[in-house]
Amino acid sequence: MKTALISDVHANLAALQAVLAHIDAQGVDRILSLGDVVGYGPDPAECVDLVAQRCEWSLLGNHDYAVLYEPTNFNAAAERAAFWTRDQLEPNERWDAETVKRRWEFLGRMRVRVVEGDFLAVHGSPRKPVNEYLFPDDVVQSPSKLASVFSRIDRACTVGHTHVPGVFTDDPEFFYLDDLDDNTFSISGTEKVIINPGSVGQPRDQDPRASYAIVEHEPSKAVGAKVVFHRVEYPIEETVEKIRAIEELPDWLGERLLQGR
Ligand code: ZN
């Protein structure tokens, strides 16, 4: 079975369209979204529609939570962007009431945690599914944090949130894409793993290309699974220009896309 994992679309329509086209060329069985469909980017409504159409389900990320309920621990700029995003999802001259209602229902159905056999899926971490970050540096700086996180995982976990693609093992160790042969990680033996497919709409690993992963696995089984990471070029300038034209979204939200940081 081939499962595509996307995460952190962040209302970047140009990136999402490029990634979906790339996924369609790989012959996958289904697409799952690990959250943060909206926030930061210029096209929240269109991205909610596409994720609702194309993904089997989407988790709730902290930015989705902010738009649905309230921003928590957001800086001033992120909070302003969240309120602007919420406005875009209200009825206006572009959308009829039915369309608006359908989008809010989709956002409202997003879960914080999904278990399928060996696989646990959360946006942030198993301890704090919406908000906790699992950083590559935690391997060195907070091994006890990672030990606590791994104690809550049976076998495999998929996360987003940091926008940095790669794989944690319970040694603990973190494998960046540069550490992998052919961008591929195979789950073997009895090790536990945490897989982060990276971000579609706002990569932060110094590579501006959109990031996602495809997991080839027996249904519900982690052992023997193969995780292949993909990077996809998209017209970044299109998104940067849209952000520049929207007063409520600071220009640096566009500039960072050009550098992947
Ligand atoms: Zn995010």
Side-chain angles (χ1 to χ4, degrees), residues 63-192:
H63 285 262
D64 309 311
Y65 181 92
V67 167
L68 258 172
Y69 307 114
E70 57 180 336
T72 46
N73 300 326
F74 275 39
N75 63 39
E79 189 173 282
R80 198 165 177 226
F83 288 132
W84 176 83
T85 299
R86 186 182 292 174
D87 270 355
Q88 303 312 300
L89 295 167
E90 294 297 348
N92 58 32
E93 62 283 356
R94 293 172 72 198
W95 322 115
D96 60 62
E98 199 49 45
T99 305
V100 166
K101 183 162 173 273
R102 202 185 57 231
R103 288 180 187 138
W104 284 112
E105 282 172 358
F106 178 74
L107 287 164
R109 277 198 306 275
M110 288 177 169
R111 289 172 287 175
V112 298
R113 185 176 188 276
V114 175
V115 179
E116 285 185 359
D118 291 340
F119 293 94
L120 166 66
V122 288
H123 178 67
S125 95
R127 301 195 303 188
K128 296 181 185 167
V130 180
N131 276 310
E132 186 173 48
Y133 290 92
L134 299 179
F135 292 112
D137 283 353
D138 290 340
V139 165
V140 176
Q141 287 168 8
S142 313
S144 61
K145 168 184 166 185
L146 282 181
S148 161
V149 165
F150 271 110
S151 74
R152 286 163 167 81
I153 297 170
D154 288 336
R155 196 67 175 82
C157 179
T158 58
V159 300
H161 201 34
T162 61
H163 302 200
V164 177
V167 180
F168 292 91
T169 59
D170 55 350
D171 286 335
E173 207 170 339
F174 184 80
F175 296 88
Y176 290 95
L177 302 198
D178 283 347
D179 303 322
L180 302 175
D181 291 332
D182 300 324
N183 282 352
T184 301
F185 183 92
S186 296
I187 303 175
S188 58
T190 54
E191 69 191 347
K192 295 183 181 183

Side-chain angles (χ1 to χ4, degrees), residues 8 10 35-36 38 40 62-63 123 161-163 199 202 204:
D8 297 276
H10 282 295
D36 276 4
V38 299
Y40 296 138
N62 55 316
H63 285 262
H123 178 67
H161 201 34
T162 61
H163 302 200
S199 168
Q202 196 194 80
R204 293 181 192 160

